[in-house]
Amino acid sequence: MSEERRLQILRAIVQDYVSTSEPVGSKALLERHQLGVSAATVRNDMAVLEDEGLISAPHTSAGRVPTDAGYRLFVDRLSQVKPLSRGEKAAIREFLEHSVDLDDVVDRTAKLLASITQQVAVMQYPSLSRSSVRHIELVPLTSHRLMVVLIVSSGRVEQRVLEVSEDLLTSEGETLVADLRTRLNAESSGRLLSEAAHGLDGLAEEFAEDDRATVRAVVQVLTDAMAEQREERLVLAGTANLARTGGDVVHLAPVLDALEQHVVLLRLLSTVNVDAADAVAVRIGAENPYEGLHSTSMVTTSYGTGAVAGLGVLGPTRMDYPSTMAAVRAVARYVSEILDQ
């Protein structure tokens, strides 16, 4: 019972400190929360919490603030993540549904997440290596020019144009294009790009000898597109929000330096646990492997079918964790729905 009561007091201290940014004393706890115990009991429990390293005194006042360990226990013991309101969910969906292409989706998502949480939003572009083939389209442009279109699950669209020797506008050419389109999608749709590329080996041998040169050219273009290595990219939004945190981020320069080093953020996003649906990872203070981020917390998750990339927010450890976790999870879910359309 005493352990549960101390957890209740810790929860109250975290909530009050996040709300007021002022150290929390026993008198304030009794006034703001229905704890059902005496002032002496609250003081004793706070002393135990301090001995356990869950709260600390920033100076000689009677107030206490949560430590990184205290925030961690608070997050781990959350019975449920605070849900967003129906209006908030509708606003997210409407804002993201107006996106015109993948770049716009990423840009809108980062700005939206920064606006909702008032933190720095970080969003990774969908990783091509973890994407699968959604559809392959072949479009004759002229009698001897063919556009090959690769559409992947992440929302990316790759286009290549190649010259072929056959006349694509004749009845025989149209039949070849239709048959090849059907076979390409039968072999590739729903498969990871690396698997799809391997599955196209030998496809040309299944066509008439006169058509094999064209088929090989198309397969080569698709294989190159599927195997092409791309530089991982990030989009940041809301960096100015760090300036509004007051003294919460003790050393601002190292944090800004870390934000400029995208490789650091990519590494953090890549280690999100994607095994569970809607998994949200929270790194608090020194749990961040990069020393420059030790005065911050990161709340991240993955998005897209097969968890193709990550997104999240970075802010001070004095963060509204339930609301931030809910926002990150909800935005990721809507982005996934849009990319899967």
Side-chain angles (χ1 to χ4, degrees), residues 48-64:
V48 173
L49 291 172
E50 188 168 8
D51 290 340
E52 293 176 346
L54 300 175
I55 60 175
S56 65
H59 41 73
T60 57
S61 71
R64 299 294 184 270

Side-chain angles (χ1 to χ4, degrees), residues 11-233:
R11 186 181 300 115
I13 292 173
V14 170
Q15 292 171 344
D16 283 3
Y17 183 59
V18 168
S19 175
T20 67
S21 75
E22 296 292 335
V24 183
S26 57
K27 181 179 179 181
L29 288 175
L30 289 168
E31 291 174 349
R32 297 170 184 163
H33 303 273
Q34 302 297 320
L35 299 176
V37 294
S38 67
T41 299
V42 172
R43 286 193 295 271
N44 289 337
D45 284 343
M46 291 179 69
V48 173
L49 291 172
E50 188 168 8
D51 290 340
E52 293 176 346
L54 300 175
I55 60 175
S56 65
H59 41 73
T60 57
S61 71
R64 299 294 184 270
V65 300
T67 63
D68 288 356
Y71 284 124
R72 168 49 58 194
L73 183 59
F74 171 77
V75 169
D76 290 345
R77 291 296 192 91
L78 282 176
S79 59
Q80 62 181 9
V81 175
K82 177 184 175 182
L84 298 184
S85 69
R86 183 176 300 179
E88 289 172 324
K89 292 179 180 179
I92 292 173
R93 180 185 293 275
E94 181 179 359
F95 184 74
L96 295 180
E97 282 183 343
H98 284 83
S99 304
V100 296
D101 55 24
L102 180 61
D103 289 334
D104 196 26
V105 170
V106 173
D107 186 61
R108 282 174 175 262
T109 301
K111 290 179 179 177
L112 175 66
L113 199 51
S115 175
I116 293 174
T117 63
Q118 291 300 295
Q119 312 289 358
V120 180
V122 184
M123 184 167 183
Q124 179 185 14
Y125 262 79
S127 171
L128 203 60
S129 62
R130 285 183 284 176
S131 300
S132 58
V133 176
R134 180 180 295 174
H135 183 70
I136 295 172
E137 188 58 63
L138 303 178
V139 183
L141 301 177
T142 66
S143 57
H144 296 286
R145 297 187 73 202
L146 181 68
M147 176 182 287
V148 181
V149 183
L150 170 64
I151 305 173
V152 298
S153 59
S154 65
R156 283 190 178 180
V157 178
E158 300 290 324
Q159 298 180 358
R160 303 287 190 277
V161 176
L162 70 156
E163 302 284 340
V164 298
S165 57
E166 295 189 51
D167 188 341
L168 302 176
L169 301 184
T170 64
S171 59
E172 293 82 0
E174 291 175 352
T175 299
L176 171 60
V177 170
D179 290 346
L180 181 54
R181 180 191 298 115
T182 300
R183 293 303 307 278
L184 289 170
N185 282 291
E187 293 290 340
S188 304
S189 293
R191 301 179 67 179
L192 290 175
L193 298 189
S194 57
E195 297 173 353
H198 181 72
L200 297 180
D201 292 343
L203 182 62
E205 306 308 315
E206 301 177 16
F207 285 79
E209 187 172 352
D210 292 343
D211 298 332
R212 289 176 185 173
T214 297
V215 175
R216 289 193 185 99
V218 171
V219 169
Q220 186 61 55
V221 164
L222 284 170
T223 301
D224 291 344
M226 292 175 182
E228 186 175 342
Q229 296 298 315
R230 296 178 179 274
E231 179 185 1
E232 294 280 10
R233 286 199 292 160

Side-chain angles (χ1 to χ4, degrees), residues 23 69 126 252:
L252 191 56

